[in-house]
Amino acid sequence: MCGIIGRIGDGDAIDALITGLENLEYRGYDSAGVAVQNGAGIKVQKRSGKVDALKESIERGRLRGELGIGHTRWSTHGPPTDENAHPHTDSTTDVAVVHNGIIENYAALRERLSEAGHEFTSDTDTEVVPHLIQHYLDEGVESEMAFRRAIEQLEGSYAIAAICHGEPVIYAARQGSPLVVGLDGDGYYLASDVPAFLEYTDTVVYLQDGDVAILRSNGLRITDLEGTAVSRDRKTVDWDSEETGKGEFDHYMLKEITEQPTSLAQAIEGRFDAEEGRVHFEEFDRGSFADVDQVLLVACGTSYHAAMYGSVALRRAGVNASAMLANEYSLSAPPVDERTLVVAVTQSGETADTLGALRRANEQGAPTLAVTNVVGSTAAREADERLFIRAGPEIGVAATKTFSSQAVVLTLLAHRIARDATGFSTLGIEEISAELERLPSRVDEVLADSGAEAIARRYPDERSYFFIGRGLGYPVALEGALKFKEITYEHAEGFASGELKHGPLALVTPETPVFAIFTGREDEKTLKNAEEAATRGAPIVAICPDGHQAADVADAQLRIPETHPTLAGLLATVQLQLVSYHAADLLNRAIDKPRNLAKSVTVE
Ligand code: F6R
């Protein structure tokens, strides 16, 4: 949600800034802009729309700079216009600023600055920051101190980068929104996320809340807000820049769907012993979860569906568990104590709602665990424990491979928690193990012969698309519907199949195809529910193995290989991801950048 990039070091900064913006475009694509410093002062170029529009205007204008900052925007304050695009400057363009987050007290600051004669040209909250810095510079305060004083005035969440005329420095500060510094032999990068500069360096320093970073071409200094030096470790990121490219695929989404055999293999590798049916996490000592009475999973969106999957697996394993939307947690947090494990499930580890719930659970004294894809993310740092899903970078705004990796890791974790907490697990991992080992090749089978494109063609432009499932099929149905609406912009809803008759059946017509997920558990009931919809004229698409009785009854089938009921939903997920992808492609949608959305939602 808004991407920040900065570059200071040898050579022209423009290429690194543009590459960074392209790599960060998944965080917002309402507008893009850069500010560079060269002999002629600070030059700003910004445009509403995608990075390509900015790129063209830069090529025409031959912009050059020794250092610079850039931004790709997901609008919060003010529509996506050229004026509201970042970087923002003070009236004299002596200071340029990019920002990710929300400055809650901007109205009061703006009023105060306006009274002092500052003129504003945008609707954004961000614009107060360069004016504040300028205010202190005008008072004769030197630039680093002016930056600190400005930051001290801000309430809310921010990752901010600023440059000042004539100063070979990038100033940065973070509170509640991510920022990471990249180091190569020639200088420094600053970004909201590592993929921004991964093709240049994999050596990084993650900034933490309250940090102020001062980047010069020959050195990096990190302090707290008062100026006291703080030490932050250098880390090497084990992601490969090849992984962050689109490769031969038209869209990141399709690439990431296709990567699931690998991402799932990575998620489970070394974490269970098929012969003994034992789950082993090197992250946790034996008995780590012995004191757990109940588990509460908090998450948003797709991660929430994975959390639901995990909660069903936990209950089946014999542990009291439930999943809760993270954004509801802070208003109605259930009573928790030191025997309630709160698990924050978040791909990015930076979702503000999920971090809010995690912080609340930390305050409540519950032990916390982050299940995330991003090493060094805020969730990974702030939870008591962390477990990585090892899916590799996910760039498409619609989450795909990270859902299946989250679900499978949570399933393994369910078994492990049950074993530690109750002495045994009723999940049946012994029977699941062999199928778990085969899961990546089962996904390969789905990918090789999916038939999803034909189904997408068969049901174009319907009134609504319904997805139903029960047990572990229910979160899969919800996820199928979320993916469909998110990238096709068609109306889609997911239901527990048993719920259809309690209301939603009223909506069912011949123009509402129903995708029914059969996991191999209580399938006869799901089939009955699907038939109830078919009786009202709805076409039924059964997601089931060949030879399944649903395949005979349904109008169409999306084939999945036979597997254990605990894992069948993951194969169905791949089919539903592909249906959404092809339906969106037929409609010519912006698949990797669906309208109004962005990856990594860092505002509440
Ligand atoms: C949908 C999607 C979102 C995210 C949600 C949480 O395809 O990607 O619903 O799942 O914004 O994001 P994370 O998992 O980063 O906390």
Side-chain angles (χ1 to χ4, degrees), residues 11 32 56 109 132 171 185 199 242 313 319 335 390 405 410 441 457 528 538 543 560 575 581:
E56 267 174 40
L109 291 171
L132 265 179
Y171 298 111
E199 50 226 84
E242 293 272 299
V319 179
R390 311 195 293 216
S405 293
L410 288 169
S441 61
R457 284 187 190 281
K528 204 168 126 301
I543 300 118
I560 53 172
Q575 283 289 29
Y581 173 82

Side-chain angles (χ1 to χ4, degrees), residues 300-303 346-348 351 397-399 482-483 486 601:
C300 302
T302 291
S303 292
T346 164
Q347 184 283 127
S348 60
T351 299
V397 166
L482 177 65
K483 218 83 305 172
E486 185 180 13
V601 184

Side-chain angles (χ1 to χ4, degrees), residues 46 48 79-88 121-124 127:
K46 52 189 191 174
S48 59
T81 58
D82 286 355
E83 293 72 36
N84 289 335
H86 297 217
H88 289 284
T121 55
S122 80
D123 309 314
T124 65
E127 200 184 353

Side-chain angles (χ1 to χ4, degrees), residues 299-305 345-355 371-372 374 394 396-400 402 406 479 482-483 486-487 594 597-601:
C300 302
T302 291
S303 292
Y304 172 65
H305 300 148
V345 185
T346 164
Q347 184 283 127
S348 60
E350 301 294 349
T351 299
D353 289 334
T354 309
L355 291 176
V371 174
T372 181
V374 183
E394 187 177 68
V397 166
T400 51
T402 54
Q406 287 169 333
E479 176 55 13
L482 177 65
K483 218 83 305 172
E486 185 180 13
I487 60 166
L597 300 179
K599 208 165 183 73
S600 196
V601 184

Side-chain angles (χ1 to χ4, degrees), residues 71-147:
H71 187 269
T72 174
R73 178 170 186 244
W74 186 83
S75 315
T76 55
H77 291 83
T81 58
D82 286 355
E83 293 72 36
N84 289 335
H86 297 217
H88 289 284
T89 63
D90 66 305
S91 322
T92 54
T93 320
D94 275 354
V95 180
V97 167
V98 291
H99 163 226
N100 167 26
I102 289 184
I103 296 166
E104 283 161 8
N105 60 336
Y106 85 99
L109 291 171
R110 188 167 165 139
E111 196 180 320
R112 215 178 73 202
L113 286 159
S114 299
E115 279 165 12
H118 288 258
E119 282 177 21
F120 290 84
T121 55
S122 80
D123 309 314
T124 65
D125 51 344
T126 306
E127 200 184 353
V128 296
V129 184
H131 283 275
L132 265 179
I133 298 173
Q134 186 59 47
H135 166 81
Y136 291 114
L137 290 174
D138 288 346
E139 284 187 347
V141 176
E142 55 83 28
S143 62
E144 182 179 327
M145 188 52 80
F147 179 75

